[in-house]
Amino acid sequence: MSTSDPSTEHSRDNFIYDIIDEDLEEGTYGDRVVTRFPPEPNGYLHIGHAKSIVLNFGIKHDYADRADTQCHLRFDDTNPKTESPEYVESIKDAVQWLGYDWEEHEYYASDYFEQFYRYAVKLIKQGDAYVDSLSEEEIREYRGTVDEPGTPSPYRDRSVEENLDLFRRMKAGAFDDGEHVLRAKIDMSSPHMIMRDPLLFRIMHASHYRRGDEWCIYPMYDYAHPLEDAIEDITHSLCTLEFDNNRRVYDWVMEHCLEDDDIPSRPRQYEFNRLNLGYTVMSKTKLRHLIEEDLVGGWDDPRLPTISGLRRRGVPPSAIRAFCRKVGVTRSQSRVQIGHFEHALRDDLNPTAPRVMAVLDPLKVTVTNWDEDEVDWIDANHWPRDIDKDETRPVPFTREFYIERDDFREDPPEDFIRLAPGREVRLRHAYFFTCEEVVRDADGTVTELRGTIDPDTRSGTAPDGRSPDGTLHWVSATHGIPFEARLYDRLFEVPDPDAREDHFTEFLNPNSLDIRQGILEPAAQELDADERVQFERQGYFWPDPEDSRPDALVYNQIVPLRDTWGEDEDGLSEAELERRRREKEQRKEKQRRRSLEGKTDPVEYLDDHQRDRFDRYSGPVGLSRDDAAAIAGDDTLATFFDEARDHYDAPEPLANWIVNVLLGALKTRTLEDLPFGPDAFAALVRLVDTDEITSRGADEVFDVLLEDGGAPGAIVEERGLRQVDDTEALADVIADVIADHPDEAARYRDGKEGLIGFFMGQVMQATSGSANPELARELLRKELEGSA
Ligand code: ATP
Ligand code: MG
């Protein structure tokens, strides 16, 4: 069922590929390239893990023709309290479903417990490890802070014999949890906190799902992970950026545990950026909380970013792989917009999902010039014209049918091209229909439309050449199948639910699930039970694998169409496409004429969807016409702008910075490659906008952001960029500057007023650019003239 073959898909080069290329060239590991995916079985996998899976297994496939490649599936099961066989099974299932095969390389860290112990004994004998008996809290206190070195534990100098004896008894179960730990003896005053005698083993009397009660000491990640890699002869150990610092311990363990001949290949750790998506949470712990508190339906709830949730929703594995390859592997952290994921889904589904018609919010229509029991079976193509496939299905046209309630307006706005009293529309694959009568119930709610079709328009065109502007989808009331549609929206209302003060569950979106009772064309029943389809003008759907039955169909929305009347041309009638082509031509022609006249209007370049956005930006949001067009015309930039406004709602300065500064920086890179997101950008604009920094200071902050990312507030503090606009402080600086340049001051007073620029430069230099320029200029003038 998995679509297409992952071994035929290839990644763009990334820095890890460069490293592997180099290692192959130099023969660092001979011709071996061995990676691993090392999940802890403490929950179900999510789309972030998919990125790691696609990277690690992708390398196995991408290098298969040049090297001896393998990718291990290793369960990093060293923490008995949270792990279970259920999670092991779910992880294997997810990796397989994604299309990958670890062959015979299925490993468990819990199989290495004996080796972990043996290497620890070796470290103790070498004088490189000791048993510490401080409490957890004392250990933390003794460790010091970033600014202060740590204090050695009073137990640090225990003899080798005493350490060996204590460690053996730890293993034998002679002590309670927390009484002792084994620590590496490295350096308590290291500038790297992680090197201040990291813990190697702790006592934990807990039953392990694979080892039972055999062990009551368990190794820590930083100790176990490098050994696991070494034991399995891994060559490239890839993990996410937050383990950057841990690499020091990784290398230390390698060097101190293993003799040279122990390790035919000395694995190295490389870190890459995590995948972060907005409006969701990704940690297994947080996901588990949602499930345990019954806030979602289970690990496979289609609203979750879990692999099982996405799978149940209907997302094809090939789309996840394509997305993971596309987001890229770099060393700069940023959040990927959901829009990119949805885009990958549509790209995958568009050529593979046959089109059918379904009405999700039905309004009945009666054709008064059509007989009650007459059925016209129309042969309709499952595919739009630009997809070169021609399977068809019979669509029944009958006296009564349903349209979307939303496709009818009694008082239509001017640009509404769908149905209204007296209006004619084209029914997709069928006739032109004119609405002649609106039927209401006692409350005034519209319950039915009545009207007539033109029998000469069955082919989609009229003999007299007239062509309605709108085309509607519809489903026969007598032949259609009632069904349930489940539409999913973002699970959270904010982009960063886990970065807020309140508990993340406070931000759950109460409308993330929208259930509709709709009606579906009968041909849908002829499709395979797991076939993904496009409901024309709505989105991509598939039958829910758990709840859908032949006599009670339930469809999940996989992803909506971008915009039913915007860029997405799937499923539109020929005439509608023609109308759009005409409009486009006209736009182009106008553009051409304007550029001949030397005037270009950026708005002309926008498509319908971007045009709506432009109207909003230049209208209620209040941007200038040029700024609105520049931002509205670029979908990712617009999302960036909208998200930045969530953090600092000052549209004008934000737009200004986007157009004048950010766009310049984007000439050589893309938004996704930037090491900062809209939140940091908004924070920077706020600092300038509220006069906390000068524009010169802001430029400096922006350069730092471009280079390393980070938090603008912290960058300002670190570099002392806060604006000096305290009059007294500035007056002192100015007095000094004038005193230091008596000749220039005299010449200024003689009428050389241009020298004000020279003095401004001096003041700026003296304040590292942090003086408020207006204030500085005013004070300078006063001071120069006053002290004449
Ligand atoms: P979580 O907190 O979500 O459980 P984890 O990192 O603790 O994440 P592991 O089971 O240890 O989960 O992860 C297995 C592998 O997947 C690790 O190599 C880890 O770096 C990688 N991984 C986890 N989350 C992401 C992510 N968001 N993007 C990329 N890789 C990830
Ligand atoms: Mg974890």
Side-chain angles (χ1 to χ4, degrees):
M1 202 193 59
S2 113
T3 24
S4 79
D5 174 6
S7 69
T8 61
E9 303 159 354
H10 295 281
S11 278
R12 286 180 302 187
D13 278 353
N14 59 51
F15 79 99
I16 289 176
Y17 279 50
D18 294 342
I19 291 167
I20 297 176
D21 288 343
E22 209 168 289
D23 282 332
L24 281 173
E25 207 162 288
E26 289 174 5
T28 318
Y29 307 102
D31 67 344
R32 297 172 54 250
V33 177
V34 186
T35 53
R36 85 285 173 270
F37 173 64
E40 185 185 356
N42 63 349
Y44 283 54
L45 298 185
H46 52 66
I47 188 158
H49 295 110
K51 173 169 175 175
S52 176
I53 294 170
V54 171
L55 173 63
N56 282 293
F57 282 93
I59 289 173
K60 165 180 158 169
H61 291 303
D62 288 347
Y63 283 91
D65 59 343
R66 271 182 285 165
D68 179 7
T69 60
Q70 270 162 24
C71 181
H72 298 184
L73 174 61
R74 178 203 308 147
F75 292 97
D76 199 1
D77 52 355
T78 54
N79 182 2
K81 289 197 175 143
T82 53
E83 297 159 0
S84 87
E86 177 197 349
Y87 298 139
V88 169
E89 287 315 309
S90 75
I91 290 171
K92 286 162 72 169
D93 192 42
V95 176
Q96 258 161 354
W97 178 77
L98 278 171
Y100 296 110
D101 183 2
W102 53 89
E103 298 166 42
E104 71 273 31
H105 302 287
E106 176 178 330
Y107 302 112
Y108 294 82
S110 54
D111 286 341
Y112 310 146
F113 284 169
E114 283 75 12
Q115 276 136 299
F116 296 151
Y117 181 77
R118 234 177 16 244
Y119 284 118
V121 167
K122 174 182 156 82
L123 287 177
I124 294 174
K125 287 184 179 160
Q126 288 169 188
D128 288 322
Y130 63 98
V131 173
D132 198 355
S133 310
L134 292 178
S135 69
E136 201 182 322
E137 209 183 304
E138 287 165 331
I139 289 179
R140 201 174 315 122
E141 276 166 22
Y142 277 67
R143 183 162 279 144
T145 65
V146 196
D147 306 315
E148 299 159 45
T151 314
S153 160
Y155 306 102
R156 196 172 195 263
D157 291 319
R158 276 175 167 152
S159 68
V160 168
E161 289 67 36
E162 189 183 359
N163 280 322
L164 281 177
D165 175 57
L166 281 168
F167 188 49
R168 277 190 198 116
R169 284 159 56 206
M170 278 168 68
K171 173 176 183 267
F175 305 111
D176 287 338
D177 288 7
E179 260 188 86
H180 306 284
V181 291
L182 186 74
R183 297 179 74 172
K185 198 170 184 175
I186 306 181
D187 179 2
M188 284 305 289
S189 54
S190 168
H192 310 290
M193 296 284 287
I194 193 130
M195 296 296 271
R196 295 184 187 170
D197 292 7
L199 268 56
L200 305 179
F201 267 99
R202 62 193 154 156
I203 301 172
M204 205 191 291
H205 291 272
S207 213
H208 188 278
Y209 76 103
R210 290 182 83 245
R211 303 298 305 258
D213 297 323
E214 246 179 295
W215 289 82
C216 63
I217 53 170
Y218 288 92
M220 307 301 289
Y221 173 90
D222 279 333
Y223 172 66
H225 207 84
L227 291 176
E228 292 158 21
D229 286 343
I231 291 166
E232 292 176 20
D233 264 349
I234 300 297
T235 58
H236 299 82
S237 177
L238 313 177
C239 64
T240 39
L241 277 175
E242 64 280 13
F243 291 96
D244 194 28
N245 260 322
N246 305 60
R247 189 177 61 244
R248 295 174 202 282
V249 184
Y250 187 98
D251 290 339
W252 186 93
V253 169
M254 288 287 168
E255 280 151 26
H256 291 77
C257 285
L258 306 166
E259 312 293 346
D260 283 345
D261 52 3
D262 250 326
I263 29 173
S265 59
R266 153 77 161 82
R268 301 234 165 238
Q269 174 184 307
Y270 302 97
E271 307 87 28
F272 64 95
N273 57 338
R274 296 175 73 83
L275 172 63
N276 294 319
L277 276 181
Y279 299 92
T280 189
V281 291
M282 295 256 261
S283 106
K284 286 192 225 117
T285 319
K286 294 205 167 108
L287 291 168
R288 199 164 54 222
H289 182 84
L290 292 176
I291 285 138
E292 281 166 1
E293 298 294 310
D294 275 337
L295 297 168
V296 293
W299 286 102
D300 66 350
D301 188 302
R303 291 168 295 181
L304 292 180
T306 52
I307 306 289
S308 51
L310 297 170
R311 175 181 182 174
R312 175 159 176 194
R313 183 162 175 164
V315 172
S318 50
I320 297 183
R321 293 196 303 266
F323 170 67
C324 289
R325 286 184 182 264
K326 212 159 144 212
V327 292
V329 172
T330 69
R331 281 189 57 88
S332 49
Q333 203 51 72
S334 66
R335 196 164 52 215
V336 176
Q337 280 146 25
I338 293 196
H340 291 287
F341 181 54
E342 298 197 334
H343 189 81
L345 295 185
R346 293 188 197 100
D347 264 4
D348 190 283
L349 292 164
N350 178 42
T352 56
R355 274 57 168 174
V356 294
M357 293 194 284
V359 173
L360 301 185
D361 185 11
L363 173 61
K364 190 166 111 177
V365 180
T366 303
V367 186
T368 53
N369 60 343
W370 194 275
D371 280 347
E372 186 110 26
D373 38 42
E374 188 184 347
V375 183
D376 181 4
W377 288 93
I378 300 167
D379 210 25
N381 201 325
H382 264 311
W383 304 95
R385 294 201 103 218
D386 57 337
I387 292 176
D388 196 19
K389 295 184 185 173
D390 47 20
E391 298 131 83
T392 60
R393 83 283 188 184
V395 175
F397 186 79
T398 53
R399 178 178 161 91
E400 291 182 351
F401 61 88
Y402 291 108
I403 62 165
E404 297 292 342
R405 184 164 283 279
D406 212 31
D407 278 340
F408 170 77
R409 293 284 156 80
E410 273 209 278
D411 281 314
E414 209 177 306
D415 56 351
F416 189 78
I417 56 170
R418 291 166 268 165
L419 204 55
R423 290 260 187 104
E424 183 174 60
V425 292
R426 176 185 284 102
L427 297 173
R428 173 82 170 139
H429 298 301
Y431 301 86
F432 292 6
F433 172 81
T434 305
C435 173
E436 287 155 359
E437 190 190 340
V438 179
V439 182
R440 285 192 198 72
D441 66 9
D443 303 334
T445 310
V446 176
T447 53
E448 184 187 343
L449 305 177
R450 297 170 73 83
T452 51
I453 55 110
D454 176 347
D456 291 334
T457 54
R458 187 179 189 267
S459 60
T461 52
D464 62 3
R466 75 183 193 281
S467 174
D469 282 337
T471 298
L472 306 189
H473 63 276
W474 55 277
V475 173
S476 160
T478 39
H479 289 63
I481 310 158
F483 80 112
E484 177 176 312
R486 296 177 182 171
L487 312 186
Y488 304 104
D489 198 358
R490 336 186 121 153
L491 186 53
F492 291 90
E493 285 175 317
V494 296
D496 53 353
D498 45 7
R500 305 224 169 196
E501 263 174 46
D502 293 320
H503 193 252
F504 71 100
T505 53
E506 297 291 310
F507 303 102
L508 279 165
N509 174 6
N511 305 314
S512 56
L513 171 62
D514 175 7
I515 296 182
R516 305 278 184 87
Q517 301 306 322
I519 184 121
L520 181 61
E521 66 163 88
Q525 263 181 334
E526 307 301 319
L527 298 168
D528 290 340
D530 60 356
E531 178 115 27
R532 297 168 175 90
V533 294
Q534 185 195 98
F535 291 168
E536 295 198 54
R537 296 178 60 219
Q538 315 269 10
Y540 295 96
F541 286 75
W542 91 329
D544 184 87
E546 297 293 323
D547 298 341
S548 190
R549 307 200 193 303
D551 58 345
L553 294 173
V554 177
Y555 272 77
N556 293 331
Q557 183 177 61
I558 305 168
V559 62
L561 291 181
R562 196 183 340 248
D563 173 359
T564 40
W565 293 99
E567 299 150 272
D568 212 304
E569 300 192 333
D570 295 339
L572 295 179
S573 69
E574 256 313 281
E576 172 74 1
L577 287 174
E578 181 53 38
R579 190 184 66 83
R580 288 180 180 208
R581 270 195 293 273
R582 262 199 325 267
E583 271 183 17
K584 216 170 177 176
E585 286 304 312
Q586 283 166 1
R587 268 209 301 269
K588 267 203 196 138
E589 178 55 25
K590 255 195 222 164
Q591 230 167 69
R592 203 181 56 84
R593 258 184 281 130
R594 274 177 184 273
S595 63
L596 283 180
E597 294 162 11
K599 266 185 275 169
T600 51
D601 181 357
V603 180
E604 302 291 348
Y605 294 84
L606 305 182
D607 64 28
D608 292 358
H609 182 64
Q610 295 168 336
R611 180 78 205 211
D612 286 348
R613 202 189 275 135
F614 168 82
D615 290 343
R616 187 159 53 84
Y617 286 171
S618 59
V621 176
L623 299 188
S624 76
R625 194 177 159 79
D626 283 347
D627 286 2
I631 298 173
D634 179 326
D635 296 346
T636 45
L637 203 59
T639 315
F640 188 90
F641 173 67
D642 291 338
E643 285 191 13
R645 284 183 59 205
D646 288 345
H647 296 276
Y648 182 51
D649 196 10
E652 272 179 278
L654 279 173
N656 240 310
W657 265 78
I658 288 182
V659 172
N660 296 320
V661 184
L662 187 64
L663 280 180
L666 290 179
K667 285 200 177 112
T668 52
R669 51 216 287 193
T670 67
L671 261 186
E672 288 144 77
D673 291 337
L674 294 180
F676 62 88
D679 47 344
F681 186 79
L684 168 59
V685 174
R686 183 202 295 269
L687 286 168
V688 210
D689 201 34
T690 53
D691 286 332
E692 279 170 69
I693 54 178
T694 60
S695 59
R696 205 164 119 182
D699 288 345
E700 185 174 336
V701 175
F702 188 69
D703 286 343
V704 176
L705 278 182
L706 270 183
E707 207 43 50
D708 307 318
I715 298 170
V716 165
E717 294 315 324
E718 224 168 75
R719 304 191 161 223
L721 294 174
R722 200 161 284 284
Q723 170 153 278
V724 181
D725 62 1
D726 156 355
T727 315
E728 237 164 88
L730 202 51
D732 287 348
V733 173
I734 286 170
D736 286 348
V737 164
I738 294 176
D740 286 347
H741 300 92
D743 294 348
E744 285 83 357
R747 278 163 54 208
Y748 178 91
R749 285 178 209 121
D750 286 347
K752 278 239 165 237
E753 288 193 4
L755 279 169
I756 190 79
F758 164 80
F759 283 105
M760 278 296 287
Q762 296 296 316
V763 172
M764 284 302 171
Q765 208 170 358
T767 58
S768 317
S770 60
N772 175 333
E774 269 166 58
L775 186 62
R777 190 176 294 268
E778 189 192 315
L779 289 174
L780 259 175
R781 281 223 155 92
K782 231 198 253 161
E783 193 69 14
L784 282 166
E785 279 152 26
S787 59

